[in-house]
Amino acid sequence: MTTCPPNAIGVGIVEGSIGGWAALGHVPALRALPGYGLRAVSTSRRESAEAAAKEFGAAAAYDNHVDLIADPGVDLVVVAVRLAHHKEIISAALAAGKMVLSEWPLGVGLAEAEELAARAEQAAVRTAVGLQARFAPQVSYARDLVAQGYVGRVLGTTLVGSGIAWGPTTDRGHAYLYDDANGATTLTVPTVHALEAVHQVLGEFADLQARLVRGRTEVTLAEDGGTLPVTAADQVLITGTLDSGAAASVLYRGGVSRGDNLRWEINGTDGDLVLTSGLGNLQVAPLTLEGGRGDDEKVAELTVPEKYFGGAAAAVTGPAHNVAQLYAQFARDLAEGTRVAPDFAYALTRHRVVDAVENASATGVRQHFRATATGEEN
């Protein structure tokens, strides 16, 4: 078993089970970055916590989040539990004066996110939220290419993706995703992760219209063939205008497609950029970036320069890579006094976009707004 290196940021992961997202995304990232040390993990059972601590090299194991938060070696609490438990655990960590990195979404609905963002501001501790799509090397390179004029003036962008979950079948462990009241839906999870990349490359929405469609009214349980009612929309359609004046269209559908599961085009007066993947969850997808301009008749794959792979984070491959880039930026922010990594205040602006989409769908009225990093709108 390893211990937290001296002067490193001591991390405690709430719901750090073997085989879970924390094991897939967070642990490989933390192992690769010299500024962090995994101090503790907690699960709901002592046996699984001790097994995870041994597997991951954590110094301590707990069967509840309260003891993990109280551990003096934990500086940063990583909240990787189901969304329904975010408020309780994040609030406890903030009350203890601990830094928090929460998975996205921050809360169940806008009101809960507003409360957590306010508590973080009152606690005056640094926070981060798992909106890591912006750190994908292909996304970062596309952002710079657009800024450098590769496509000329951006005319429009179209993104179509598949959410993987929210398909025709599920297991009981993931059935909660099909209940809109739980807050983890096709809109709030894969769509917002994809929108995070769109916003980073092309800017914010100035206005939008939306339709949330419940294409499937029931889901089949893999264990026994039983069915459950579906209350969450599995088809998300957003159209609008970006601040630049460019047109934007986003369609996310539940499940997977036999065609393209992720295709994002950026079309301009002088060229085009295309990002694709066989995996629809952009924040963890292995992306291919293609481009063409001028006299090019087709797009061709573009080689992403090494600098976009993030130093020590470059050693991390697969779904954990963008997470490692998020952790690396958070450490730089702490050292340099900057606020580049998305924090709770920024997460609130993303929740406001979700709220605008829901209002547009419910009322049929175009939503005009400008979300900023301070959470203000006009």
Side-chain angles (χ1 to χ4, degrees):
M1 180 176 291
T2 60
T3 59
C4 184
N7 303 317
I9 300 169
V11 178
I13 301 178
V14 180
E15 192 42 65
S17 300
I18 295 174
W21 165 241
L24 183 66
H26 290 271
V27 174
L30 293 168
R31 283 174 170 167
L33 300 176
Y36 291 92
L38 182 55
R39 169 65 189 176
V41 295
S42 71
T43 67
S44 60
R45 296 184 300 109
R46 170 66 62 179
E47 295 82 1
S48 61
E50 290 178 347
K54 181 178 180 180
E55 175 73 16
F56 304 151
Y62 300 105
D63 59 5
N64 64 88
H65 68 271
V66 175
D67 289 341
L68 180 143
I69 292 170
D71 189 321
V74 171
D75 306 304
L76 173 65
V77 177
V78 174
V79 180
V81 297
R82 287 187 183 180
L83 180 56
H85 304 296
H86 278 204
K87 181 180 177 181
E88 175 190 3
I89 296 169
I90 292 171
S91 297
L94 293 173
K98 298 295 177 81
M99 297 185 294
V100 181
L101 190 159
S102 171
E103 283 293 347
W104 171 264
L106 177 59
V108 179
L110 178 59
E112 193 167 293
E114 289 176 331
E115 179 180 342
L116 291 172
R119 290 189 178 189
E121 184 177 8
Q122 293 167 0
V125 298
R126 299 299 293 265
T127 60
V129 66
L131 287 167
Q132 68 268 21
R134 63 161 71 185
F135 295 111
Q138 296 80 5
V139 171
S140 296
Y141 189 34
R143 177 196 61 209
D144 288 350
L145 287 174
V146 169
Q148 293 161 11
Y150 183 92
V151 302
R153 179 170 60 86
V154 177
L155 299 172
T157 187
T158 303
L159 190 154
V160 178
S162 304
I164 300 179
W166 306 280
T169 61
T170 190
D171 56 38
R172 292 190 181 277
H174 294 88
Y176 72 98
L177 295 171
Y178 293 77
D179 186 345
D180 192 58
N182 291 325
T185 66
T186 306
L187 169 61
T188 63
V189 183
T191 305
V192 172
H193 277 300
L195 285 175
E196 176 67 7
V198 174
H199 293 319
Q200 286 300 306
V201 176
L202 300 175
E204 302 285 333
F205 278 115
D207 60 79
L208 62 81
Q209 293 177 303
R211 290 291 294 170
L212 300 176
V213 178
R214 188 162 51 96
R216 293 187 174 92
T217 58
E218 64 180 24
V219 60
T220 300
L221 294 171
E223 289 89 346
D224 56 17
T227 61
L228 291 174
V230 173
T231 59
D234 60 332
Q235 308 291 315
V236 178
L237 175 62
I238 304 169
T239 61
T241 309
L242 303 179
D243 282 336
S244 66
S249 172
V250 175
L251 170 65
Y252 251 84
R253 61 275 175 115
V256 295
S257 170
R258 294 174 182 83
D260 295 332
N261 283 297
L262 178 63
R263 183 176 181 86
W264 175 19
E265 290 199 19
I266 301 169
N267 310 116
T269 55
D270 300 329
D272 306 280
L273 291 171
V274 180
L275 291 96
T276 57
S277 178
L279 181 65
N281 288 337
L282 194 152
Q283 76 278 13
V284 296
L287 297 170
T288 297
L289 174 63
E290 297 174 303
R293 60 196 305 240
D295 294 332
D296 296 334
E297 295 184 357
K298 296 181 179 180
V299 293
E301 186 169 354
L302 301 177
T303 300
V304 180
E306 287 297 322
K307 68 177 183 178
Y308 290 97
F309 288 85
V316 184
T317 59
H321 177 79
N322 299 340
V323 179
Q325 295 238 45
L326 171 61
Y327 274 111
Q329 182 60 60
F330 185 66
R332 286 194 294 271
D333 286 345
L334 294 178
E336 300 170 7
T338 53
R339 292 183 178 272
V340 177
D343 59 9
F344 283 12
Y346 182 84
L348 187 55
T349 71
R350 304 305 91 187
H351 273 282
R352 294 188 190 281
V353 172
V354 171
D355 190 61
V357 169
E358 292 174 338
N359 287 337
S361 180
T363 65
V365 176
R366 181 184 297 273
Q367 306 292 300
H368 297 267
F369 68 99
R370 175 69 168 92
T372 71
T374 60
E376 299 175 354
E377 295 183 10
N378 54 41

